[in-house]
Amino acid sequence: MALTDKATIKTLLGISDTSLDAAIDLMIPQAGAIIKGYLQRNIEQATYTEFYSGSGDKVLLLNQTPVQSITSVHLDSDGYYGDGTEAFPASSVLVEGTDFVLQKDDATNTEVSKSGIVYHTGKGWPRPSSRLQGQLTSAPGLGIGNIKVVYVAGWATVPSDIQFAANKLVISMVQSIDHGGRVESESIEDYSYTLAGFEDEGKFLDSVRGSLAHYKKVVI
């Protein structure tokens, strides 16, 4: 699912012919990549299968948000990111509400967990103990890919302000072509993508940042 579509862009630009259709078709996925790169997250709702390493902490932070639901959580000390022998068998499945719980900070139909935090109800997300040669006691080891999480995250419908930003970006690309420029790259903070020939770049970036800022992934 794209963040915008050709019909919307043509309506906003007042274009009725097909002269720019091919260019718009190229620009829409480019605009989507720019926005996702800036936000450091995907937008469209999808199912993710990810592996994590237990740290001993009670908190596990999922990579994609908002989290709509958790399909399953597995714990296997020999899982090794799914590459272990018979990794993550049925017996490794944890029970939601008993072994783990998803932090539901906005329990609506569209955004169940904005944080993406999964709590282990026990002492913490396990990591194995290890004892090196010569040591009398064991010490905490590394949980190398010993947690597997399958979950659904993203938005079923792209939020309107993200759609606005995508429309604005694609329109600026089209207008750049109309003004004799060519698309090279644009810059949204540390994510770069320039629009050659686009004279009012600063003002454009400010307006897009305002629409996107509160969706940007916070890296802890």
Side-chain angles (χ1 to χ4, degrees):
M1 178 174 60
L3 304 186
T4 186
D5 57 70
K6 181 167 59 183
T8 298
I9 298 300
K10 292 179 69 172
T11 297
L12 292 173
L13 286 169
I15 298 174
S16 57
D17 59 43
T18 60
S19 60
L20 291 174
D21 280 16
I24 293 173
D25 285 338
L26 290 173
M27 292 170 182
I28 287 174
Q30 289 175 347
I34 293 167
I35 290 172
K36 292 175 185 179
Y38 169 66
L39 297 180
Q40 299 182 52
R41 68 165 74 192
N42 291 327
I43 306 299
E44 304 93 330
Q45 185 170 301
T47 298
Y48 298 89
T49 299
E50 296 175 344
F51 299 94
Y52 300 85
S53 298
S55 63
D57 295 332
K58 293 179 71 69
V59 173
L60 180 68
L61 185 62
L62 299 179
N63 290 323
Q64 297 295 331
T65 57
V67 177
Q68 309 295 348
S69 62
I70 293 181
T71 305
S72 64
V73 177
H74 298 248
L75 186 61
D76 181 359
S77 60
D78 297 318
Y80 300 116
Y81 302 98
D83 293 332
T85 303
E86 298 181 357
F88 302 104
S91 58
S92 69
V93 176
L94 302 183
V95 178
E96 187 167 8
T98 299
D99 302 312
F100 71 91
V101 62
L102 174 67
Q103 177 175 306
K104 297 179 179 178
D105 42 36
D106 190 358
T108 69
N109 291 328
T110 57
E111 295 180 353
V112 172
S113 179
K114 292 181 179 179
S115 64
I117 291 175
V118 183
Y119 292 102
H120 193 279
T121 57
K123 294 182 179 180
W125 290 103
R127 56 179 177 177
S129 297
S130 63
R131 185 168 61 186
L132 299 177
Q133 186 174 2
Q135 288 182 330
L136 297 178
T137 60
S138 61
L142 295 175
I144 305 175
N146 62 331
I147 303 168
K148 175 183 176 182
V149 184
V150 182
Y151 65 103
V152 179
W155 288 270
T157 301
V158 177
S160 58
D161 39 4
I162 295 180
Q163 292 182 43
F164 170 82
N167 291 335
K168 182 99 173 182
L169 182 53
V170 175
I171 287 170
S172 71
M173 291 176 175
V174 175
Q175 291 174 337
S176 176
I177 293 175
D178 288 343
H179 294 155
R182 67 184 187 281
V183 178
E184 290 180 351
S185 64
E186 179 65 89
S187 176
I188 304 179
E189 293 183 0
D190 56 348
Y191 196 83
S192 296
Y193 194 96
T194 299
L195 290 173
F198 187 51
E199 298 177 355
D200 202 12
E201 181 176 333
K203 184 182 294 185
F204 167 72
L205 294 178
D206 287 342
S207 65
V208 173
R209 281 197 199 96
S211 300
L212 298 176
H214 63 287
Y215 291 104
K216 189 171 184 180
K217 182 178 179 179
V218 176
V219 180
I220 301 175

